[in-house]
Each structure stands twice: as C-alpha cells, then as structure tokens.
Amino acid sequence: MANLVDATSLQQFEELLKNNSKSLTVVHFHAPWAPQCSQMNGVMAELAKEHKHTMFVKLEAEAVPEVSEKYEITSVPTFLFFKIDRLDGAHAPELTNKVQQLGSSWGGAARAGDIPKEDLNERLKRLINAAPCMLFMKGSPQEPRCGFSRQTVQILKDHNVQYSSFDILSDEEVRQGIKTYSNWPTYPQVYVNGELIGGLDIVKELVESGEFENTFPKSVSLENRCSSVFILLTRVFVNTQAAKCGFSRQILEMINKSTRTVRKGLKTYSNWPTYPQLYVKGELIGGLDIVKVKCIKSSSNYL
C-alpha cells in the first residue's frame, strides 16, 4: 500500500514527513523482538486500508536511533501523530480512535467512493478482539463518565486485571451497533477472549461467587516479576562494542559499571576474595571448593 511504508534511515524519515506535511502522518516505533509490536503492525495495516489519506510509517526504534532519540522514544510500541499527539503502548482501540479523529481534523477522512466502508459487524468483531479483555465504557479508565463505568474500572483495578478499553461516547455507530451485535442493551460491557461477560452486575456476581479470578486475564505484578528473577553474580562482563545501537550500548555500559561496583564491594562485604560465591537464604556458603566438599560429605552419608 502506498500509504503504509517502512522508514529505514533518518533521511528517508524526514523526506516522508516533508512530503506529507499537509496530511496526518502516524509513525509506529517498533522492535522485532516485541510481539505486541507485530500485533500493532497488523492494526496499522488495517487502518491504512480504511484511511487512504493518512500516511502510516513503521520505524524500527533501535535501527534508526537518531530519530528515536530526537523524539524521546523510551519504549515500544510508541505511536507519534505528527505533530499533534502521542500514544505509548499496544492499545489498538485508542490507536483506531486517534486515527479516525485526527484524520478527520486534517481533512484526511476517506471520501465517499474512495473505498468500501467496513462492515459494522466486522469492525465490532475487530474491536471486541483487540485485547484479551475489552471494556466498552463511557469515558476512559482515567476519566470515567458514568458511575457504572467507574465501578467496573475500580473492580478490574482492584483485581489486577489486564485490559483495554473503548470509549463508546466517541463513536455513536459503535455505541448503538454493539448493543445489537451482543444483544446487551446497556453499558459498560466486558468481553474476555471475544466473548461477552456482561455488565457491572455480572462482574460483581463473579467476584462474589469466586469465579472472577479464573475468568479474567491478570497483569503480572512487579513483585511477582521480581520474585521470579534470580541474579547470579559471577565474573562476567558484557562487550559494549558488540552493541548495535546507542540505547543498547548505554545500558550495557551501566550494567558493566554496576557489576564492577558489586564485584569489589561483595568481596569486602562477605570477606571472601574470589568468585563464584554461592549464597543460600542470604548466607554465604562459599566458592567452588566448599561446594565440592559439601557434595562429597552429602554423598558419603548415603554409603
């Protein structure tokens, strides 16, 4: 598609912006190792079919560091709407909303006869399946615009549910259409894996019955993430010269600096001059020789 391109250099990127200065340009800063970026690339491709007068640009953040640094890109996926707005994270409904709203304000909405209008049911199906858990509400999680939506958001937050949302007040066609599509006349509406769960009353019932935990996808808490990580302190240094972008190089230099500090300090702290060092429940066991001795003694107990 002519309005969906990859930018692989600073020069190409600047030329794209210059040539499309009179229309909306949406830039997706992505990385090949991030699965959510692949998902959002698919969303971009669908939007490009619908919005022929909007330019969609994919740019690998680490491959073109000059652009990423200039626009302070610190995570992927990130979307820039030149030069109007920004969206951080993989939020397909929000991306769709912003493209529709900003494209119209630039005069870039598809004109009648340009392309066939997407079937409403297909669009609703795409929105419902945009995330493992979708909340169709009035307003946004940050600013709910009705009491029922506010209560639903609070329940999802209290139970650490990972979800995306769609503001039905921003699109009258979706607001009316989804009532018929799912045969559910009120809002909010909650979907899990494309299936309607129900509204606030149903969500409360699931909480009371104890079924809630097994129904909704969970966000991984910071505590759980940290508890699953084991750090092995050893004599390993990372080769900063092997880094292929500025961001990676800076991180590796920070790791090396931290490793050197820990390496020196741990010797003094534990009064043990060599590595490796093995700890169990915070207590120093020793190095390789000590571990070998303990293994021999342990084996002898079985003879």
Side-chain angles (χ1 to χ4, degrees):
M1 287 177 285
N3 64 326
L4 177 62
V5 299
D6 286 280
T8 57
S9 68
L10 174 62
Q11 180 180 357
Q12 182 190 8
F13 179 74
E14 291 178 340
E15 288 178 356
L16 284 169
L17 292 184
K18 181 179 178 180
N19 295 336
N20 292 280
S21 60
K22 294 183 179 180
S23 63
L24 175 65
T25 299
V26 182
V27 182
H28 177 201
F29 290 84
H30 68 95
W33 44 262
Q36 60 268 39
C37 290
S38 298
Q39 176 191 354
M40 297 308 292
N41 277 335
V43 174
M44 284 253 293
E46 292 301 316
L47 289 172
K49 295 176 184 177
E50 183 178 349
H51 300 271
K52 294 291 187 181
H53 301 283
T54 296
M55 174 60 69
F56 294 88
V57 179
K58 294 183 292 182
L59 187 145
E60 188 177 333
E62 293 182 344
V64 195
E66 305 95 331
V67 177
S68 300
E69 291 173 3
K70 180 178 180 180
Y71 295 101
E72 300 180 348
I73 305 301
T74 58
S75 63
V76 293
T78 292
F79 296 86
L80 293 188
F81 303 81
F82 276 84
K83 294 181 177 180
I84 313 168
D85 207 346
R86 177 178 180 134
L87 173 63
D88 294 294
H91 305 292
E94 287 188 52
L95 175 61
T96 302
N97 266 351
K98 286 182 180 293
V99 170
Q100 290 173 341
Q101 294 169 3
L102 297 175
S104 298
S105 67
W106 274 73
R111 295 187 293 264
D114 279 358
I115 55 174
K117 187 176 181 180
E118 181 182 18
D119 178 74
L120 177 59
N121 284 344
E122 287 299 317
R123 185 182 175 209
L124 294 176
K125 182 179 179 181
R126 178 161 54 84
L127 287 172
I128 288 170
N129 288 277
C133 178
M134 280 295 301
L135 170 63
F136 290 81
M137 62 180 293
K138 294 180 179 180
S140 67
Q142 295 75 29
E143 296 183 4
R145 296 179 63 180
C146 83
F148 298 133
S149 293
R150 182 177 293 106
Q151 291 182 61
T152 304
V153 167
Q154 190 60 51
I155 291 174
L156 296 179
K157 180 180 178 181
D158 290 344
H159 289 79
N160 199 32
V161 174
Q162 183 178 3
Y163 71 98
S164 292
S165 66
F166 185 91
D167 180 8
I168 51 110
L169 298 179
S170 68
D171 193 315
E172 187 64 21
E173 187 177 44
V174 171
R175 180 181 182 180
Q176 299 302 328
I178 205 167
K179 292 180 182 180
T180 304
Y181 182 88
S182 296
N183 193 27
W184 195 270
T186 58
Y187 290 100
Q189 294 183 15
V190 181
Y191 295 77
V192 173
N193 296 325
E195 297 293 329
L196 174 66
I197 299 300
L200 176 60
D201 290 341
I202 301 297
V203 171
K204 286 183 174 179
E205 289 177 9
L206 290 173
V207 172
E208 292 172 0
S209 68
E211 297 178 59
F212 186 96
E213 301 298 327
N214 295 324
T215 303
F216 289 83
K218 296 295 180 120
S219 297
V220 180
S221 68
L222 180 59
E223 181 181 355
N224 288 337
R225 290 171 62 191
C226 290
S227 66
S228 65
V229 176
F230 293 87
I231 303 176
L232 176 63
L233 295 175
T234 185
R235 297 183 64 179
V236 175
F237 284 85
V238 184
N239 182 7
T240 58
Q241 300 304 315
K244 294 185 178 181
C245 82
F247 298 144
S248 300
R249 188 174 299 110
Q250 290 178 50
I251 289 176
L252 295 182
E253 288 173 352
M254 291 170 64
I255 291 174
N256 279 343
K257 183 178 180 180
S258 176
T259 302
R260 284 191 291 268
T261 302
V262 172
R263 179 186 176 189
K264 294 178 180 178
L266 197 59
K267 291 180 180 180
T268 303
Y269 179 84
S270 297
N271 192 28
W272 195 271
T274 60
Y275 288 101
Q277 296 180 12
L278 179 66
Y279 294 77
V280 174
K281 296 182 179 180
E283 296 295 327
L284 174 66
I285 300 301
L288 177 60
D289 291 340
I290 300 298
V291 173
K292 284 182 175 179
V293 170
K294 288 185 177 292
C295 287
I296 292 172
K297 288 182 178 179
S298 177
S299 299
S300 298
N301 292 334
Y302 291 96
L303 296 178

